[in-house]
């Protein structure tokens, strides 16, 4: 567990500008962690003013699409910006 109390793997970050962004970052992180398709993927989740930015690497386009779909489905997300890289194996 890191200094901010977040476990290694999928991380949640916010600028500290609002408690709503902090809560949203954690909810998006938890949604990504809970999905069986994404359980082995690692993401960085950043939230600012309801806009979620996802960073990390995913294996294949199916996981890429799923991560974005899950993030968009979290209540309070106004937009998702993907900085994800797709690994091809």
């Amino acid at each position: 567990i890191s200094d901010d109390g977040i476990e290694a793997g999928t991380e949640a970050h916010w600028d500290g500008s609002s408690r709503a962004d902090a809560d949203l970052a954690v909810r998006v992180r938890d949604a990504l962690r809970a999905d069986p398709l994404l359980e082995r993927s690692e993401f960085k989740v950043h939230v600012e003013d309801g806009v979620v930015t996802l960073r990390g690497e995913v294996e294949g386009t199916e996981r890429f699409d799923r991560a974005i779909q899950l993030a968009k489905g979290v209540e309070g997300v106004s937009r998702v910006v993907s900085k994800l890289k797709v690994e091809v194996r």
Side-chain angles (χ1 to χ4, degrees):
I1 297 182
S2 67
D3 292 340
D4 60 0
I6 309 264
E7 294 179 28
T10 300
E11 299 176 16
H13 299 276
W14 56 93
D15 286 339
S17 57
S18 79
R19 185 68 195 160
D21 282 347
D23 292 342
L24 188 55
V26 171
R27 289 197 323 269
V28 171
R29 178 203 64 192
D30 290 348
L32 295 171
R33 282 184 176 173
D35 189 271
L37 184 63
L38 301 175
E39 67 186 359
R40 291 180 23 230
S41 301
E42 292 187 15
F43 301 94
K44 290 190 184 215
V45 178
H46 178 84
V47 178
E48 185 174 354
D49 297 328
V51 177
V52 174
T53 302
L54 299 177
R55 288 184 170 83
E57 294 185 5
V58 292
E59 189 177 313
T61 57
E62 182 181 15
R63 287 177 174 84
F64 176 91
D65 292 340
R66 183 68 179 150
I68 294 169
Q69 176 189 21
L70 284 171
K72 284 181 177 179
V74 174
E75 185 177 344
V77 172
S78 61
R79 185 166 58 105
V80 175
V81 176
S82 174
K83 302 285 184 174
L84 296 172
K85 296 179 183 178
V86 178
E87 293 179 14
V88 179
R89 293 189 181 203

